Amino acid sequence: MISITFLGAARTVTGSKYLVESNGTRVMVDAGLFQGLKELRERNWQDLPVPASSIEAIVLTHAHLDHCGYLPRLVSQGFRGRVFCTLGTQDLCKIVLPDAGRLQEEDAAFANRHNFSKHKPALPLYTEVDAYRAVSQLQPVGYDRTMPVAAGIELDFINAGHLLGSSYVRMRIDGRTVLFGGDLGRYGRPVLPDPTPVAGAADYLLVESTYGNRIHEQDDNGDRLAAIVRETAQKGGKLIIPAFAIGRVEELVYWLKRLESENRIPVLPVFVDSPMAAAALASYTQRVNELDPELHPEESDDKAPHDAAAPHPPDVRRRQAMQERELCVFCTERFHVIGNAEESKQLTSSKIPSIVISASGMAEGGRVLHHLKAALPDARNTVLFAGYQAVGTRGRRLVDGEKSIKIHGGWVPVAARIERVDSMSAHADANEIMRWLAGFTAPPKQTFIVHGEPTAQDTLGARIQAELGWSHKAPEHRERVEF
Ligand SMILES: [Zn+2]
């Protein structure tokens, strides 16, 4: 008998955790943090139904914290097994997990200083040391290679096109196939490849439903971003882009490079001012062959940028561009990664027209706060939000048009233009999920709809029923299913 216990991302989006049990062997797929509302975050502190030390192996679909951010907690509770993931996921986990541990410790210290936690003393969910230990247990596996993970259980990782290293996992357990869909990427987008077609069958399927009731707006081929850059440059202002350090920065820089090479925006200095974003960008560059084929250096020779006003003949410029692309597929003409805090301070005080990409994406912390504090009072500048802005965050307040905003304890007047683009979601929408499901050569015996709010799940379930006729179910939190 096989069972799956849904310990997260059941009737909600975060906390992905699926405990697989077969013949006394326990394997967990994803070890994600609950995020968002307090009621959800409190689940991070609840005990699991089995001791962490009894889990033989963990499998990670990708490196977003709602899929991997609980791993150090399991390690701190005695999990000592291997953590199977792709090479790209290993790279990004090394960046995000120690940082998450550091933030947990800072939050606990802050609560103790200000005495607002009901727990005395407030403790971190895990520490930076726990996170480093977790990272040391990662066991990377290439895509599309079958790997035994525990007695009677083997798997392969298949590229899901959602983030560097992202995968869906085909697991074979005692002759049956369970496909863990992870987070699904999108079709026809830059930077990441399309989700790999299934081209096969599975006995049981778990599919995400974040946008199970939504269709993304049409791609505008970078038009809005180009207009915002041009208009800010004409005013002699700076463009500040708060961005999520992992995943989003790559797409932004890709677009800036492309718009530059198509002469749709002026060549401006582009600064990436976030150590995490810079590290992630380096990982993306190293694994360029796992990205969208358009970015593979050997396949894109005919796409070298051309510029009539360039100081060199076209063939020299073309060769330079090719060399540069091999070094950094993301580098714009005047591309700079900011290193230490001193450089960041200099950039903050500089009035030279430029584009500054910095974290955090919702302006809740990080170096971007210094840039905002300096840029917001000046009407020549623009702040562009490139991702979802949750209620209560500074990013949301700015997008909602507040005329002054509190940063580092002081009020900052907002004179700068505030913009947002919503076209960079990394999750498949309802049509894209259905397109991926259509790749199955036979209906699964049961499809479990996970990783979505109830409305999104129910809408997607109705489509799966109507268009495919598959049997489906959205399990409840902590529900155990046997088959
Ligand atoms: Zn994700």
Side-chain angles (χ1 to χ4, degrees):
M1 190 188 66
I2 304 169
S3 75
I4 299 180
T5 311
F6 296 83
L7 297 173
R11 303 303 262 169
T12 190
V13 175
T14 61
S16 282
K17 261 179 238 89
Y18 312 109
L19 181 67
V20 178
E21 292 172 280
S22 163
N23 300 321
T25 302
R26 290 182 176 139
V27 170
M28 185 178 276
V29 178
D30 276 343
L33 273 184
F34 287 101
Q35 296 170 311
L37 297 173
K38 189 161 181 260
E39 170 202 331
L40 285 170
R41 284 183 281 120
E42 279 173 351
R43 288 186 184 170
N44 291 324
W45 293 90
Q46 289 168 6
D47 286 334
L48 294 178
V50 300
S53 57
S54 73
I55 300 169
E56 194 158 323
I58 293 175
V59 177
L60 300 179
T61 61
H62 65 289
H64 279 144
L65 285 180
D66 62 323
H67 292 259
C68 72
Y70 190 76
L71 183 64
R73 175 74 175 176
L74 290 168
V75 168
S76 77
Q77 292 184 325
F79 168 72
R80 293 290 176 265
R82 288 192 286 178
V83 182
F84 294 90
C85 64
T86 65
L87 291 146
T89 297
Q90 181 190 39
D91 284 357
L92 297 184
C93 280
K94 283 181 181 172
I95 300 169
V96 297
L97 292 179
D99 182 73
R102 206 154 42 236
L103 286 177
Q104 297 279 356
E105 290 186 71
E106 282 170 15
D107 285 352
F110 185 81
N112 288 328
R113 244 186 348 263
H114 297 271
N115 211 24
F116 66 61
S117 171
K118 59 182 178 208
H119 306 285
K120 308 258 182 293
L123 296 173
L125 188 64
Y126 52 81
T127 63
E128 191 177 356
V129 168
D130 295 327
Y132 278 116
R133 183 155 194 177
V135 162
S136 76
Q137 288 170 243
L138 295 175
Q139 173 70 61
V141 182
Y143 283 116
D144 308 311
R145 284 185 202 155
T146 302
M147 171 65 88
V149 295
I153 303 180
E154 57 180 34
L155 61 71
D156 47 317
F157 291 104
I158 304 160
N159 200 330
H162 165 74
L163 180 75
L164 178 70
S166 72
S167 62
Y168 58 89
V169 174
R170 185 160 40 210
M171 195 176 267
R172 269 169 291 270
I173 313 167
D174 273 349
R176 275 174 286 187
T177 304
V178 184
L179 201 149
F180 295 87
D183 283 359
L184 274 184
R186 301 180 59 193
Y187 293 88
R189 302 289 300 173
V191 183
L192 293 166
D194 292 354
T196 310
V198 174
D203 296 305
Y204 299 91
L205 165 68
L206 280 73
V207 64
E208 72 132 317
S209 54
T210 315
Y211 291 113
N213 58 344
R214 273 190 39 194
I215 310 296
H216 293 312
E217 64 185 49
Q218 278 272 313
D219 187 8
D220 70 350
N221 194 30
D223 282 345
R224 246 169 66 69
L225 179 61
I228 292 166
V229 173
R230 279 195 311 267
E231 286 155 23
T232 308
Q234 274 159 15
K235 287 192 287 184
K238 281 168 99 171
L239 175 59
I240 310 291
I241 312 181
F244 302 101
I246 307 286
R248 195 56 48 88
V249 170
E250 288 72 26
E251 187 162 353
L252 278 164
V253 180
Y254 163 88
W255 274 112
L256 293 172
K257 181 184 171 90
R258 179 160 150 191
L259 295 173
E260 258 183 20
S261 70
E262 293 171 356
N263 295 320
R264 292 163 65 195
I265 57 170
V267 172
L268 294 170
V270 174
F271 298 97
V272 172
D273 187 10
S274 152
M276 254 171 87
L281 203 53
S283 296
Y284 271 70
T285 307
Q286 279 160 17
R287 305 204 176 283
V288 71
N289 289 326
E290 295 177 15
L291 303 180
D292 192 286
E294 181 190 13
L295 294 180
H296 298 180
E298 68 278 15
E299 290 170 32
S300 56
D301 286 353
D302 58 337
K303 288 181 189 157
H306 49 84
D307 178 353
H312 300 294
D315 59 328
V316 175
R317 275 213 26 90
R318 189 182 142 99
R319 201 159 48 242
Q320 281 178 345
M322 279 168 61
Q323 284 166 349
E324 174 215 45
R325 199 169 41 235
E326 276 165 26
L327 289 172
C328 174
V329 286
F330 296 101
C331 295
T332 58
E333 295 269 335
R334 297 172 69 191
F335 184 79
H336 308 275
V337 171
I338 297 296
N340 55 35
E342 195 49 46
E343 279 177 46
S344 178
K345 271 186 206 152
Q346 283 172 15
L347 175 61
T348 305
S349 53
S350 156
K351 301 277 183 215
I352 297 168
S354 59
I355 299 172
V356 178
I357 303 173
S358 187
S360 74
M362 298 189 201
E364 285 296 274
R367 290 183 180 177
V368 79
L369 289 182
H370 297 278
H371 292 292
L372 290 176
K373 201 154 82 177
L376 282 170
D378 188 338
R380 290 175 301 172
N381 298 328
T382 303
V383 178
L384 171 64
F385 288 94
Y388 176 73
Q389 301 300 312
V391 179
T393 60
R394 274 194 202 86
R396 180 62 167 263
R397 285 193 213 110
L398 285 167
V399 164
D400 285 347
E402 291 197 13
K403 287 294 161 217
S404 64
I405 206 98
K406 204 169 189 181
I407 299 177
H408 299 144
W411 287 97
V412 179
V414 179
R417 171 183 174 192
I418 309 293
E419 288 284 348
R420 68 194 280 189
V421 286
D422 288 329
S423 55
M424 292 189 201
S425 173
H427 283 273
D429 68 11
N431 287 345
E432 289 169 314
I433 295 169
M434 294 307 294
R435 176 171 167 185
W436 182 73
L437 293 178
F440 282 75
T441 51
K445 291 189 183 74
Q446 181 67 281
T447 297
F448 299 104
I449 301 175
V450 295
H451 201 290
E453 298 302 335
T455 353
Q457 298 197 312
D458 298 345
T459 310
L460 183 68
R463 274 192 77 172
I464 289 175
Q465 184 67 51
E467 294 172 33
L468 300 168
W470 294 1
S471 163
H472 63 87
K473 168 184 175 68
E476 296 297 329
H477 182 50
R478 294 200 161 220
E479 186 172 339
R480 185 169 188 262
V481 177
E482 295 178 352
F483 41 83

